[in-house]
Amino acid sequence: MTTQHTSGSTAAPTKIVTTATGRILRVNVDEAGVPLSTGTPVAPAAASPAIADPARRADVLFRVRRAEGHELSAWWMIGAFVVTSGLVILLLSGVPGIA
Protein backbone atom coordinates (compact mmCIF):
# COMPACT_ATOMS: atom_id res chain seq x y z
CA MET A 1 0.00 0.00 0.00
CA THR A 2 1.37 3.38 -0.93
CA THR A 3 0.71 6.70 0.69
CA GLN A 4 0.72 10.13 -0.83
CA HIS A 5 3.25 12.56 0.62
CA THR A 6 2.96 16.26 0.00
CA SER A 7 4.98 19.15 1.28
CA GLY A 8 2.02 21.52 1.39
CA SER A 9 -1.23 21.45 3.31
CA THR A 10 -3.29 20.27 0.34
CA ALA A 11 -2.98 16.96 -1.46
CA ALA A 12 -2.79 16.60 -5.22
CA PRO A 13 -6.23 16.16 -6.82
CA THR A 14 -7.08 12.51 -7.44
CA LYS A 15 -9.87 10.55 -9.10
CA ILE A 16 -11.09 7.13 -7.92
CA VAL A 17 -11.61 4.65 -10.77
CA THR A 18 -13.02 1.12 -10.47
CA THR A 19 -11.86 -1.30 -13.15
CA ALA A 20 -13.90 -4.14 -14.67
CA THR A 21 -12.23 -6.62 -12.31
CA GLY A 22 -13.30 -4.62 -9.25
CA ARG A 23 -9.92 -3.10 -8.52
CA ILE A 24 -10.13 0.43 -7.14
CA LEU A 25 -7.45 2.78 -8.45
CA ARG A 26 -6.50 6.30 -7.38
CA VAL A 27 -5.41 8.35 -10.40
CA ASN A 28 -3.68 11.72 -10.11
CA VAL A 29 -5.44 14.35 -12.21
CA ASP A 30 -4.81 17.99 -13.01
CA GLU A 31 -7.25 20.83 -12.35
CA ALA A 32 -9.22 20.04 -15.53
CA GLY A 33 -9.67 16.38 -14.52
CA VAL A 34 -7.23 15.00 -17.11
CA PRO A 35 -5.06 12.12 -15.77
CA LEU A 36 -1.39 13.02 -15.35
CA SER A 37 1.19 10.86 -17.08
CA THR A 38 3.31 8.85 -14.66
CA GLY A 39 5.64 7.26 -17.19
CA THR A 40 3.63 4.03 -17.39
CA PRO A 41 1.44 3.36 -20.41
CA VAL A 42 -2.23 3.97 -19.85
CA ALA A 43 -4.72 1.37 -21.08
CA PRO A 44 -7.48 2.71 -23.31
CA ALA A 45 -10.70 3.59 -21.53
CA ALA A 46 -12.72 1.19 -23.70
CA ALA A 47 -10.68 -1.82 -22.52
CA SER A 48 -11.48 -1.32 -18.82
CA PRO A 49 -14.64 0.73 -18.28
CA ALA A 50 -15.33 2.10 -14.81
CA ILE A 51 -18.19 0.52 -12.90
CA ALA A 52 -20.48 2.91 -11.05
CA ASP A 53 -21.19 0.58 -8.11
CA PRO A 54 -18.82 -2.35 -7.40
CA ALA A 55 -21.40 -3.98 -5.10
CA ARG A 56 -23.69 -4.57 -8.08
CA ARG A 57 -21.21 -6.62 -10.10
CA ALA A 58 -22.37 -10.05 -11.27
CA ASP A 59 -19.61 -11.91 -9.40
CA VAL A 60 -20.47 -10.41 -6.02
CA LEU A 61 -22.85 -12.81 -4.30
CA PHE A 62 -23.76 -11.55 -0.84
CA ARG A 63 -22.75 -7.87 -0.77
CA VAL A 64 -25.76 -5.65 -1.48
CA ARG A 65 -25.90 -1.89 -1.26
CA ARG A 66 -29.44 -1.01 -0.24
CA ALA A 67 -31.24 2.29 -0.60
CA GLU A 68 -31.31 4.81 2.23
CA GLY A 69 -33.67 3.68 5.00
CA HIS A 70 -33.46 -0.02 4.07
CA GLU A 71 -30.36 -0.93 6.04
CA LEU A 72 -30.28 -4.02 8.24
CA SER A 73 -31.01 -3.22 11.88
CA ALA A 74 -28.18 -3.74 14.37
CA TRP A 75 -30.63 -5.61 16.64
CA TRP A 76 -30.59 -8.55 14.20
CA MET A 77 -26.85 -8.94 14.76
CA ILE A 78 -27.22 -8.60 18.53
CA GLY A 79 -30.00 -11.19 18.53
CA ALA A 80 -27.95 -13.57 16.39
CA PHE A 81 -25.05 -13.26 18.83
CA VAL A 82 -27.28 -13.97 21.84
CA VAL A 83 -28.91 -16.98 20.17
CA THR A 84 -25.56 -18.41 19.02
CA SER A 85 -24.03 -17.91 22.47
CA GLY A 86 -27.02 -19.60 24.12
CA LEU A 87 -26.80 -22.52 21.70
CA VAL A 88 -23.09 -22.99 22.41
CA ILE A 89 -23.68 -22.91 26.17
CA LEU A 90 -26.57 -25.37 25.83
CA LEU A 91 -24.48 -27.78 23.74
CA LEU A 92 -21.47 -27.51 26.05
CA SER A 93 -23.60 -28.20 29.12
CA GLY A 94 -24.12 -31.75 27.85
CA VAL A 95 -20.37 -32.49 27.68
CA PRO A 96 -19.30 -34.50 30.77
CA GLY A 97 -16.22 -33.52 32.73
CA ILE A 98 -16.59 -29.74 32.35
CA ALA A 99 -16.98 -27.84 35.61
Side-chain angles (χ1 to χ4, degrees):
M1 185 162 132
T2 61
T3 58
Q4 185 176 8
H5 299 284
T6 60
S7 60
S9 62
T10 60
T14 58
K15 181 179 179 182
I16 304 298
V17 177
T18 304
T19 63
T21 60
R23 192 171 185 187
I24 299 173
L25 304 174
R26 180 178 292 138
V27 180
N28 290 334
V29 295
D30 61 2
E31 290 78 21
V34 177
L36 298 174
S37 63
T38 58
T40 58
V42 178
S48 60
I51 298 174
D53 189 1
R56 305 228 184 257
R57 289 192 338 245
D59 61 335
V60 177
L61 296 177
F62 300 113
R63 183 177 49 185
V64 177
R65 187 164 294 154
R66 294 180 173 87
E68 184 69 29
H70 292 283
E71 292 88 4
L72 187 64
S73 173
W75 289 107
W76 284 105
M77 296 297 122
I78 295 169
F81 174 77
V82 170
V83 168
T84 304
S85 300
L87 184 63
V88 168
I89 292 170
L90 179 70
L91 291 173
L92 287 177
S93 66
V95 176
I98 297 178

